Amino acid sequence: GDLANQALTVVLPVGNGSFGVAADRFGYDLYNETRGSLAYAMRFGEGLRAAVQLNYLGVRIGEDYGSTSAFTAEVGVQARLTENLWFGAHLYNPTRAELGTVRESDVTLDERVPTLLRAGLGYMPSTKLTLTAEIEKDIDREERVRAGVEYNPNKVLFLRTGISTGPVSGYFGAGFRMQRLDIDLAVAVRSQLGPTPMINLNYRFK
């Protein structure tokens, strides 16, 4: 089958913070990754937010080789620098978790889960326009740079576009907010994979 990515996330507000539970799957018949996550995010006043997340990552290689797994963690923070400018930083897998021997076979991946450090800025010159820029560094690879724009002409419609390096990719999308339901549609255009459509549905119970 073709490469595919499915994900489901549930967020429950609790006091000044929120608990989140997520599950996602990426891959096809011969190789796929599954992940389960538990997260907690909290606000510290109006200008500071922080979150931690624990993940279970499972990798399966075909029907003949079996599977392996690892646990990872991540932490993120957002801080308001000025009225219209936010700074964010995110660290994924600081412990450099490693995928070991694949069960049901003699295959040993001996491969570490990527350790990623991201830092970025979000600038909102008006209530209808948001500009973002981010740099991502995998400690074993060259850094990647991303930039994006979101335009919100009214309460219902969101228009988005962006670009990233390593390899160069372009992104185009639109979002629709209808009472408690959000629908986000996007297309990623990658030099190696071509266009990849994406859809995200978000329902707010409150």
Side-chain angles (χ1 to χ4, degrees):
D2 296 332
L3 287 172
N5 197 150
Q6 304 93 30
L8 176 66
T9 303
V10 178
V11 178
L12 302 174
V14 179
N16 291 330
S18 298
F19 278 101
V21 179
D24 61 80
R25 182 183 186 276
F26 170 79
Y28 62 114
D29 294 341
L30 298 180
Y31 176 88
N32 61 75
E33 300 177 3
T34 58
R35 182 173 63 172
S37 304
L38 177 64
Y40 180 72
M42 188 172 182
R43 291 175 178 265
F44 299 90
E46 293 297 322
L48 183 62
R49 305 165 185 167
V52 294
Q53 181 167 304
L54 300 177
N55 309 298
Y56 169 81
L57 176 64
V59 175
R60 184 168 186 83
I61 306 175
E63 295 294 333
D64 299 327
Y65 291 102
S67 61
T68 184
S69 61
F71 287 93
T72 65
E74 52 192 295
V75 60
V77 63
Q78 289 181 329
R80 185 193 294 272
L81 303 181
T82 70
E83 185 65 25
N84 299 322
L85 183 65
W86 281 84
F87 168 79
H90 177 255
L91 177 60
Y92 175 76
N93 189 31
T95 60
R96 304 208 68 197
E98 185 174 350
L99 293 169
T101 302
V102 178
R103 292 190 295 272
E104 304 172 20
S105 73
D106 295 328
V107 175
T108 301
L109 292 183
D110 193 22
E111 181 178 340
R112 294 189 183 276
V113 179
T115 295
L116 304 174
L117 176 61
R118 303 181 181 99
L121 295 171
Y123 179 59
M124 291 152 281
S126 74
T127 57
K128 295 184 177 182
L129 184 65
T130 302
L131 309 175
T132 62
E134 177 190 77
I135 185 168
E136 175 188 274
K137 178 62 177 144
D138 182 329
I139 62 173
D140 296 320
R141 299 182 181 179
E142 292 185 0
E143 64 275 0
R144 301 182 63 184
V145 178
R146 301 184 181 95
V149 179
E150 179 183 81
Y151 178 57
N152 176 212
N154 53 54
K155 295 181 179 180
V156 176
L157 179 64
F158 295 80
L159 300 175
R160 307 179 180 106
T161 186
I163 190 171
S164 67
T165 64
V168 175
S169 304
Y171 304 87
F172 308 90
F176 306 90
R177 173 165 292 184
M178 297 171 289
Q179 296 181 348
R180 294 185 177 182
L181 178 64
D182 295 343
I183 302 176
D184 295 302
L185 307 172
V187 175
V189 182
R190 302 181 176 92
S191 58
Q192 296 176 333
L193 298 177
T196 303
M198 294 174 280
I199 183 171
N200 179 65
L201 302 176
N202 180 41
Y203 185 80
R204 296 179 299 278
F205 290 93
K206 288 187 178 181

